[in-house]
Amino acid sequence: MSERLQDDAWDVGNLFDQLWEESLKQRIIEPTQNQPDKDKIPEIIKREIDEFLRTFPFHDRLKLQPDTKDNANAVAARNRGNELFATEGECLKSLQHYNESIACSEPGSETRALAYGNRSAVCLRLDMYEECLETIRLARASNYPARLADKLSKREQHVKRRIEEMYAEPCDGKPIEFGKHRPRYMVHPELKLSYEAHANVPQLVKCVELRQNSEVGRHLVTTQKLKVGDVLLIEKPYASMLNDQERYKRCDFCQNEDRFTLIPCEGCTVTMYCSKECMDKAHKQYHRYECGVLRDCWRMIGSLPGGIMGLRTVATAFASFEQDLEGWIDHLNTLDEAKVNAFTVDWNEITDSDMYDTVHVLATNQKRRSCKDLAMLIFFASIVHRLLLERTELGTLCESNPARSKLLFDLLLRHVQTSPINKKQVSHMKCCEIDQEDEYEFNNFGYDSDDEDIFEERTHAIAVYPLFSMANHSCIPNVAPIHLLDGRCAFVVSRPIAAGEQLFDVYGFGTTEFASSLRLLCLEQCYYFKCRCAVCESCSYVSVRNMNQEEEKFLRAMSNSVQMRNHLPKLIEHMNEVGRCYPKHQYTAAEVMLVRSLRIIHSYSLEDDAEDEFGNFGVLGSSDG
């Protein structure tokens, strides 16, 4: 993984805490305490923070500066890549540094051309022949130096010969697979809804309905009995944001792992794309409104994980309505939020306005926040607002138009609140080795430590799903998200659900790592509710029930990915047997294995799989150019 952009030294939350004690607390507490109309409190806080920021040097204190191409930084990244390329077993890791060099280098510079040349050497070493030829083309297009042109030509000729030889070699009737390290070339069975789809919401089964009451608010309920393995919803996110550590491995738009062919955004150093098509789509749909501020926002985000997702949501929304911002302002001013949600929209004929409305009305919990908490979010939104006006096309859109500028701030504040509450982690499964510390746990859970395939879950992005955001939390959920390689997310039943029962998701703290007191505290601080699920009511850890002999037989039969695919239907049948007991305060081992198996089958990434050994190609595989 690449280094994190987040820097504790420039954490906007830490700066705010310091300023709160020094001056902001005194400026804000008194006028807000004396305000009888609580709806006006955010306006008062905004006024005080605006006055403060007029003279406060926040650019200097947070080390904010435009994200520019820098060949010196690019050379340093390429040198780090060269060191790894020359180290046995580290070839694949060198790619991230070469991609960083490409992203940081000036367009058309020799520095960029050499980084492309280095990447082509990695492709050659890993037998990625088509990717190697494409990267050689990019190197030449970036003014590859004439003094090294012969080296690149020899590499190209060698690759073309290898491709000809591979086509000439017998392959038992099977097609030759180029790009074998890239997950989009894998073929997975397509998940489909298990029941009739909702007439106006075709991505959701008809039997799932939205209900609301004073006790639990909005929640999802099934009108019929649901079985383990049922697919209830396959949803595309409104907006998603790639993890900053994945920026030189994955396409920022489709988020596919395409580190062998990534090309850079020319306006920043933190986004790359797998193709010109993805780059153009990203620019049109959101990136032109965030490009100039994205690196600084990542750097200062610190303890505000929703801030970066809020920025992406606002950029996406503005790109949808830029042709009629005044009409959008009028629409939002008259929107009855109590009557709008993802279920009131006809998704068959959905407009950009309808789509955004489903996100706009997600919970902010603004009235439940403390004065200090709200002030910190307004402080962050105010700084991002200023940066957007200074560095992006939003400055031109909002120039001399107070209503547009106010809209931009209002939406930033809204979505830095909605995002941490409603965002979901997007993950993939990675094949890995286990260390001695984990060996006991794997053996105890039903695996042999010498099994062929051991997988772990890795988060690579965050996303907002308007429909599934309606599901409430339980530390023992009954549905599970399965992230698909095409960017959608399928929600699958993980334990039987009776007609009339709620669908429960887990919001991130219902794990075996947290004691009940800490789990309850985290949920209350992040989501502003007290969890009353069975495990929290019993004040116990979230745990997995010990396996019986029948479960152990199933789980050991699914110890690697090939067996997993074959035995999954039998596991689902076993879990759906009449009378099967599912304790309210515990997971069963079968549930854990079911979710894990579905994610391996549908969310498997080939990243960091073992590299192929390569022959000695002389200058063809050298580590510089």
Side-chain angles (χ1 to χ4, degrees):
M1 284 190 177
S2 301
E3 292 183 1
R4 295 195 69 87
L5 290 171
Q6 295 180 41
D7 191 334
D8 290 342
W10 318 119
D11 183 340
V12 69
N14 292 340
L15 175 61
F16 175 82
D17 286 341
Q18 179 184 342
L19 295 174
W20 179 260
E21 296 302 326
E22 290 177 357
S23 59
L24 289 177
K25 182 178 181 179
Q26 184 177 357
R27 296 182 65 146
I28 291 172
I29 290 295
E30 184 176 348
T32 54
Q33 283 182 335
N34 296 332
Q35 174 55 246
D37 186 350
K38 299 304 180 183
D39 290 336
K40 292 185 178 180
I41 288 179
E43 181 182 340
I44 295 171
I45 297 174
K46 173 69 164 59
R47 184 182 66 232
E48 294 296 332
I49 286 179
D50 278 346
E51 184 65 28
F52 176 80
L53 289 176
R54 286 192 182 96
T55 57
F56 179 73
F58 65 90
H59 291 86
D60 294 335
R61 290 292 294 273
L62 291 169
K63 299 294 182 184
L64 303 176
Q65 55 189 2
D67 187 9
T68 57
K69 304 292 185 180
D70 187 327
N71 280 342
N73 290 338
V75 169
R78 192 176 84 245
N79 288 338
R80 290 192 294 272
N82 289 345
E83 292 174 3
L84 288 169
F85 186 88
T87 304
E88 184 176 356
E90 300 294 340
C91 176
L92 202 56
K93 292 181 180 178
S94 69
L95 266 177
Q96 291 185 70
H97 297 288
Y98 292 145
N99 284 337
E100 180 182 3
S101 181
I102 292 166
C104 293
S105 57
E106 297 173 11
S109 65
E110 179 177 305
T111 302
R112 178 174 293 183
L114 290 175
Y116 275 130
N118 293 148
R119 192 172 78 183
S120 73
V122 178
C123 292
L124 174 60
R125 180 176 289 191
L126 297 176
D127 297 337
M128 307 292 290
Y129 296 137
E130 290 185 337
E131 289 80 358
C132 183
L133 292 177
E134 171 61 13
T135 303
I136 288 173
R137 184 193 69 78
L138 291 168
R140 288 184 175 135
S142 298
N143 300 317
Y144 196 78
R147 67 181 186 279
L148 298 172
D150 185 58
K151 176 192 291 189
L152 207 62
S153 294
K154 288 181 179 179
R155 187 176 296 154
E156 180 181 42
Q157 292 166 11
H158 174 81
V159 169
K160 288 180 177 179
R161 284 197 303 271
R162 284 295 300 135
I163 291 176
E164 291 176 0
E165 292 168 0
M166 290 180 69
Y167 276 116
E169 292 172 357
C171 52
D172 300 324
K174 296 180 180 179
I176 297 171
E177 295 183 4
F178 295 106
K180 60 186 176 182
H181 286 265
R182 295 164 65 185
R184 69 169 48 165
Y185 289 90
M186 296 182 68
V187 179
H188 296 297
E190 182 181 358
L191 286 178
K192 297 181 180 180
L193 296 182
S194 299
Y195 303 103
E196 180 184 356
H198 194 289
N200 293 333
V201 192
Q203 64 270 47
L204 176 73
V205 293
K206 183 179 179 180
C207 62
V208 172
E209 296 181 353
L210 181 68
R211 304 278 179 85
Q212 184 167 1
N213 59 42
S214 58
E215 183 180 357
V216 297
R218 290 177 176 174
H219 56 284
L220 299 182
V221 170
T222 176
T223 59
Q224 70 175 58
K225 180 181 178 181
L226 299 175
K227 305 186 302 294
V228 172
D230 285 346
V231 180
L232 306 180
L233 171 66
I234 304 177
E235 185 174 16
K236 181 180 178 181
Y238 175 79
S240 61
M241 174 68 78
L242 195 65
N243 184 314
D244 63 327
Q245 290 183 286
E246 303 283 327
R247 63 191 183 277
Y248 302 130
K249 290 170 53 179
R250 293 177 178 269
C251 174
D252 186 76
F253 182 78
C254 70
Q255 296 177 357
N256 199 52
E257 185 191 344
D258 263 304
R259 70 179 94 182
F260 298 99
T261 56
L262 291 176
I263 56 176
C265 168
E266 298 298 5
C268 69
T269 64
V270 293
T271 57
M272 301 189 79
Y273 303 95
C274 66
S275 65
K276 183 68 163 53
E277 180 184 3
C278 275
M279 178 187 290
D280 291 343
K281 287 180 178 179
H283 182 79
K284 180 180 179 181
Q285 295 181 25
Y286 58 84
H287 190 57
R288 68 186 186 276
Y289 290 138
E290 64 177 26
C291 181
V293 305
L294 195 55
R295 189 178 193 93
D296 271 344
C297 285
W298 270 118
R299 285 180 60 253
M300 67 176 175
I301 204 71
S303 57
L304 295 172
I308 201 73
M309 190 68 237
L311 172 64
R312 174 62 57 83
T313 302
V314 172
T316 302
F318 259 82
S320 299
F321 296 100
E322 62 183 0
Q323 301 302 321
D324 187 20
L325 289 177
E326 276 62 43
W328 188 30
I329 293 171
D330 291 341
H331 168 72
L332 293 179
N333 286 338
T334 58
L335 183 68
D336 187 347
E337 296 183 22
K339 296 181 179 180
V340 176
N341 59 65
F343 282 75
T344 62
V345 172
D346 185 349
W347 290 83
N348 298 297
E349 301 178 357
I350 196 165
T351 65
D352 287 340
S353 179
D354 293 333
M355 181 82 75
Y356 174 72
D357 286 350
T358 66
V359 177
H360 186 82
V361 300
L362 293 176
T364 65
N365 287 330
Q366 181 168 293
K367 293 184 177 181
R368 299 181 181 182
R369 299 181 186 275
S370 68
C371 182
K372 180 183 178 182
D373 182 26
L374 183 56
M376 180 174 66
L377 295 175
I378 291 174
F379 182 75
F380 172 75
S382 297
I383 290 174
V384 176
H385 180 246
R386 284 164 167 76
L387 293 178
L388 289 170
L389 296 180
E390 291 171 8
R391 301 183 189 172
T392 74
E393 295 179 22
L394 289 170
T396 303
L397 277 177
C398 299
E399 186 178 12
S400 303
N401 192 317
R404 291 182 176 184
S405 182
K406 181 179 184 300
L407 172 67
L408 177 59
F409 172 80
D410 288 347
L411 294 185
L412 283 169
L413 178 59
R414 172 178 286 269
H415 292 301
V416 298
Q417 295 181 86
T418 63
S419 294
I421 301 169
N422 297 284
K423 68 177 174 63
K424 308 293 182 186
Q425 292 185 334
V426 182
S427 59
H428 63 278
M429 300 298 287
K430 173 185 175 295
C431 190
C432 63
E433 296 180 358
I434 61 172
D435 55 31
Q436 291 182 345
E437 293 182 3
D438 292 330
E439 186 172 343
Y440 172 78
E441 179 179 349
F442 276 92
N443 287 337
N444 191 50
F445 190 67
Y447 307 109
D448 293 324
S449 59
D450 58 352
D451 278 340
E452 179 181 345
D453 299 326
I454 296 297
F455 295 85
E456 64 180 25
E457 191 169 3
R458 296 278 182 89
T459 298
H460 64 265
I462 52 177
V464 173
Y465 300 93
L467 282 161
F468 200 65
S469 291
M470 299 293 102
N472 278 340
H473 164 87
S474 172
C475 296
I476 305 293
N478 53 21
V479 295
I482 309 298
H483 297 284
L484 310 179
L485 292 177
D486 63 4
R488 297 177 301 161
C489 187
F491 297 92
V492 180
V493 175
S494 56
R495 58 167 54 190
I497 308 174
E501 286 188 352
Q502 272 199 71
L503 274 56
F504 288 109
D505 183 25
V506 60
Y507 285 2
F509 297 101
T511 74
T512 56
E513 300 173 7
F514 295 98
S516 62
S517 57
L518 179 58
R519 193 172 65 244
L520 285 166
L521 178 63
C522 290
L523 287 167
E524 192 160 4
Q525 288 184 341
C526 293
Y527 301 100
Y528 298 90
F529 72 86
K530 183 177 180 180
C531 183
R532 291 185 171 85
C533 71
V535 69
C536 286
E537 291 289 283
S538 64
C539 299
S540 60
Y541 279 87
V542 175
S543 61
V544 179
R545 185 181 66 183
N546 290 333
M547 292 182 293
N548 57 37
Q549 290 183 348
E550 189 176 15
E551 287 176 326
E552 187 171 350
K553 178 185 69 175
F554 271 105
L555 301 188
R556 288 194 180 278
M558 301 174 69
S559 59
N560 67 49
S561 55
V562 175
Q563 295 172 334
M564 193 175 295
R565 191 185 301 271
N566 295 332
H567 287 272
L568 184 58
K570 295 180 181 179
L571 174 64
I572 291 174
E573 182 181 356
H574 163 78
M575 295 176 69
N576 282 316
E577 288 178 357
V578 176
R580 180 72 54 202
C581 176
Y582 290 86
K584 293 183 178 180
H585 61 285
Q586 280 184 312
Y587 285 106
T588 63
E591 287 173 86
V592 176
M593 190 62 189
L594 170 76
V595 174
R596 179 177 177 276
S597 300
L598 287 170
R599 288 174 177 167
I600 289 171
I601 292 171
H602 297 285
S603 310
Y604 174 51
S605 172
L606 284 168
E607 95 177 73
D608 297 334
D609 275 359
E611 302 172 13
D612 293 339
E613 293 296 326
F614 72 104
N616 181 11
F617 301 133
V619 295
L620 297 172
S622 64
S623 64
D624 198 0

